[in-house]
Amino acid sequence: MYFRPGLHKEAGLSFSPIKAIISPRPIGWVSSRGKDGSVNLAPYSYFNAISELPPMVMFSSAPSGNGQHKDSLRNVIETEEFVVNVVSSDLCDAMNITSNGLAYGQNEFTAAGLDMAECHSVSVPRVAASPAALECKLWKVIELPKPEHNDASVMVIGIITGIHIADNVITDGKVDVTRYQPLARLGYMDYARVTDIFAMARPE
Ligand SMILES: Cc1cc2nc3c(=O)[nH]c(=O)nc-3n(C[C@H](O)[C@H](O)[C@H](O)COP(=O)(O)O)c2cc1C
């Protein structure tokens, strides 16, 4: 099978397969604060680490459909800070609740019954129950190419300025992902949890 992007239906596929092909994707659970002080939390799976030195991450915000930026993007543009919280398996339902498009200024921590914890290098709260969280300062906001009949997605790139790790997920000086089984996004409405890992030495 071969087709060009957007023509999956002509190829006999009900849905675009791109997200299923580029999977599993980590979920950046992004907390942010607006200039009015309001707090926001939402999951982004167009998310990844992009550099080790300096340590940097990105997430990409799709158009909201109402001509406004999504709340996370609006907040990051306003205050130039955000936090990426790790979604452990046991937080999957809470994560899903925070993807609900609440009105601007409504706190998804509260909606999902999550406690907030303070950060050090940013004024944004983190998810207290997350096994790890990355404090980030905005580096750049990049508007991606505008599609013909839609608004453009916007990529946010941040520099990591602080790292939180729960003591109980560290084994022998390493983060042990099997202790919290990070949730990953697949295609469609599917998710996976990391339960099985193996190590491989690099070739000399
Ligand atoms: C697992 C998951 C991953 C998501 N990834 C993205 C994404 O990468 N980009 C995006 O624009 N929306 C994504 N969404 C949808 C947003 O979370 C949703 O639009 C949310 O309401 C945005 O919240 P905000 O306006 O508070 O930022 C995702 C939703 C889920 C459940």
Side-chain angles (χ1 to χ4, degrees):
M1 177 184 290
Y2 172 83
F3 57 91
R4 292 183 185 258
L7 299 181
H8 53 272
K9 290 214 164 113
E10 286 80 342
L13 301 178
S14 315
F15 303 99
S16 168
I18 293 176
K19 285 196 263 190
I21 291 168
I22 306 171
S23 73
R25 293 183 309 287
I27 300 170
W29 204 7
V30 174
S31 47
S32 60
R33 196 187 275 287
K35 66 172 190 271
D36 63 357
S38 64
V39 165
N40 196 83
L41 177 65
Y44 286 81
S45 65
Y46 284 120
F47 159 76
N48 223 311
I50 57 164
S51 154
E52 191 151 349
L53 277 177
M56 296 176 81
V57 293
M58 62 71 63
F59 72 92
S60 167
S61 180
S64 63
N66 64 11
Q68 310 282 321
H69 287 324
K70 290 192 180 184
D71 298 346
S72 307
L73 176 60
R74 169 176 168 176
N75 286 351
V76 173
I77 290 171
E78 285 182 3
T79 61
E80 305 197 344
E81 295 180 343
F82 61 98
V83 174
V84 173
N85 302 274
V86 167
V87 184
S88 49
S89 262
D90 60 336
L91 290 172
C92 66
D93 290 330
M95 179 281 298
N96 203 25
I97 290 170
T98 64
S99 72
N100 208 351
L102 299 184
Y104 184 79
Q106 287 202 304
N107 185 338
E108 286 88 359
F109 281 87
T110 312
L114 292 163
D115 287 333
M116 298 187 275
E118 275 191 23
C119 283
H120 296 282
S121 64
V122 295
S123 68
V124 175
R126 63 190 168 91
V127 175
S130 277
L134 304 172
E135 300 177 0
C136 299
K137 299 263 192 197
L138 176 65
W139 181 64
K140 252 179 204 169
V141 168
I142 298 175
E143 187 167 304
L144 300 177
K146 187 183 167 337
E148 211 176 332
H149 300 296
N150 211 339
D151 293 330
S153 290
V154 177
M155 179 163 64
V156 171
I157 303 178
I159 299 179
I160 298 171
T161 53
I163 300 168
H164 299 262
I165 306 173
D167 294 337
N168 64 2
V169 303
I170 295 184
T171 309
D172 298 333
K174 291 181 182 170
V175 171
D176 181 354
V177 298
T178 61
R179 296 233 184 157
Y180 59 90
Q181 302 181 347
L183 195 70
R185 187 82 167 94
L186 307 176
Y188 318 111
M189 303 311 280
D190 299 337
Y191 293 84
R193 49 178 71 93
V194 178
T195 57
D196 179 33
I197 63 168
F198 61 94
M200 235 186 344
R202 292 270 181 92
E204 288 299 318

